[in-house]
Amino acid sequence: METTKKICAGDVRSASRLIRDLEDKLPQARPRLKQLFVHTGKSLIIGITGAPGAGKSTLTDALIGEFRKQKRTVGVLAVDPTSPFSGGAILGDRVRMLRHAEDEGVFIRSLATRGALGGLSQAAGDAIHVMEAMGKDIVIVETVGIGQQELDIIHHAHSVIVVLVPGMGDEIQTMKAGIMEIADVFAINKADRPGAKQLQTELTSLLNASPLPPSAWRPPIVSIGNLYEPVGFAEKTAELAQKISDHHAHLLISGQLSERMERKALMEITDALKACILEPVLNQLIAGGELKNIAERIKNREADPYTEAEAIARRFLKSGDMP
């Protein structure tokens, strides 16, 4: 309970330790997360996604500054590729956002994907709750940027920002059936580069190709220029922050915020069930060497994975012999 109180009081060290324990799936982490859950659900959660090199970290850094001008506290989860050696995030905490490192109103934490195909590990959803319990007004989740498969963010964020850069014209055709559809706001970053206007035209054409009801939210497009032109960059960052606020207001007025929170809850219970049922079964099969033997039989075509899975499910579910 002491840890819970510290986290709710905004203690960074306790929060960092719990997030680390959740990543490592240590047994003591889950009870603490249960205690924190009642203190969650009040933050605005923003997802920032897009291809690697699109400048997501730069925009995240700029948005932190903009929200801090508004006296709003900010938590940031920067999801990074998994180190093949340590299993942790390849980029460390705060490396990309050093100017906010000493700001008590900002808490930045890196997370590894841990091989999650959708771009976010289960620990990402848990870590969002930790930051909510800390009382952060805004939680920004910056995804790793793996492309069209990176769709998990829509199950966690209230507003999703898709970051694009000029020169991706051909890629838009391949992206439009995936990541393009999850955008609530488009940000064209590095818009001082050649091709920016063409990119905006292509985006506008894609949006026009899908007529929406008058009351529906139409994702706005914000073009953001060169970081080294501070005044113009700051103005466009402020515009991006305003579009995010506008989208949040739209969700509240239209009732869609409740729908998104229900979608988030469904994902959370699904993940929790997998953790409670599937992982213990797998761990027991692995510890006893049974899983390896089954894999050997399947490899030699002495068994098939479907029959083996059904037999395992019958054994654990019928006998109540859950680990």
Side-chain angles (χ1 to χ4, degrees):
M1 186 60 76
E2 187 64 25
T3 299
T4 303
K5 288 181 179 176
K6 286 183 177 179
I7 292 175
C8 289
D11 183 71
V12 170
R13 184 169 297 180
S14 298
S16 293
R17 190 179 301 120
L18 178 55
I19 291 173
R20 181 201 62 197
D21 291 348
L22 288 165
E23 270 200 291
D24 293 339
K25 298 184 178 179
L26 298 185
Q28 66 268 26
R30 191 60 55 183
R32 289 170 182 163
L33 193 61
K34 290 178 184 177
Q35 293 169 356
L36 286 176
F37 192 79
V38 69
H39 302 286
T40 66
K42 298 176 183 176
S43 306
L44 169 59
I45 303 169
I46 301 168
I48 298 184
T49 191
K56 298 187 295 297
S57 295
T58 300
L59 288 185
T60 299
D61 176 77
L63 283 173
I64 294 171
E66 186 60 33
F67 290 132
R68 291 299 291 146
K69 287 180 189 173
Q70 302 170 10
K71 307 299 182 187
R72 303 166 86 178
T73 56
V74 183
V76 177
L77 287 175
V79 183
D80 294 319
T82 305
S83 166
F85 302 105
S86 66
I90 285 180
L91 298 178
D93 296 351
R94 305 177 183 177
V95 169
R96 294 166 294 181
M97 304 161 198
L98 282 174
R99 71 186 178 115
H100 303 292
E102 303 302 322
D103 185 346
E104 293 183 354
V106 179
F107 176 47
I108 300 171
R109 184 70 162 76
S110 292
L111 282 180
T113 61
R114 302 286 173 113
L117 291 178
L120 298 181
S121 65
Q122 184 186 343
D126 297 337
I128 290 171
H129 285 321
V130 175
M131 292 193 170
E132 287 183 293
M134 292 175 76
K136 298 304 178 191
D137 299 317
I138 292 172
V139 177
I140 299 175
V141 183
E142 181 196 324
T143 72
V144 68
I146 58 174
Q148 195 172 358
Q149 291 178 321
E150 195 173 55
L151 304 179
D152 278 354
I153 189 63
I154 64 171
H155 299 299
H156 295 282
H158 300 135
S159 300
V160 175
I161 317 305
V162 171
V163 184
L164 302 170
V165 290
M168 296 179 62
D170 292 338
E171 286 81 354
I172 286 179
Q173 295 304 315
T174 62
M175 292 170 66
K176 65 182 180 182
I179 201 168
M180 298 292 287
E181 295 175 344
I182 70 174
D184 296 307
V185 180
F186 288 104
I188 299 179
N189 200 22
K190 307 174 187 178
D192 56 321
R193 291 183 175 181
K197 287 188 177 179
Q198 181 184 347
L199 176 57
Q200 181 156 359
T201 301
E202 290 173 348
L203 273 176
T204 303
S205 297
L206 285 172
L207 293 171
N208 290 340
S210 302
L212 298 169
S215 60
W217 174 260
R218 178 186 169 90
I221 303 169
V222 181
S223 293
I224 302 171
N226 194 323
L227 171 66
Y228 300 103
E229 294 177 359
V231 176
F233 186 80
E235 288 176 352
K236 286 298 181 178
T237 302
E239 181 182 341
L240 179 61
Q242 184 58 52
K243 296 301 182 187
I244 294 169
S245 296
D246 292 345
H247 180 246
H248 188 228
H250 170 80
L251 292 177
L252 285 169
I253 294 169
S254 66
Q256 291 181 34
L257 184 61
S258 177
E259 294 175 14
R260 294 201 177 197
M261 293 182 75
E262 182 176 334
R263 184 172 66 190
K264 185 172 184 290
L266 283 170
M267 175 57 65
E268 289 173 337
I269 185 62
T270 302
D271 286 344
L273 279 171
K274 288 178 181 175
C276 287
I277 297 175
L278 180 59
E279 289 183 13
V281 170
L282 282 173
N283 290 339
Q284 183 165 312
L285 294 174
I286 292 169
E290 187 177 354
L291 194 64
K292 186 175 181 181
N293 293 334
I294 292 172
E296 185 72 18
R297 291 202 302 275
I298 293 173
K299 184 188 73 174
N300 295 330
R301 296 300 185 267
E302 297 167 0
D304 68 83
Y306 318 105
T307 303
E308 292 293 329
E310 289 171 0
I312 293 168
R314 278 197 299 273
R315 185 195 340 157
F316 283 102
L317 295 177
K318 188 175 180 180
S319 69
D321 185 24
M322 290 297 298

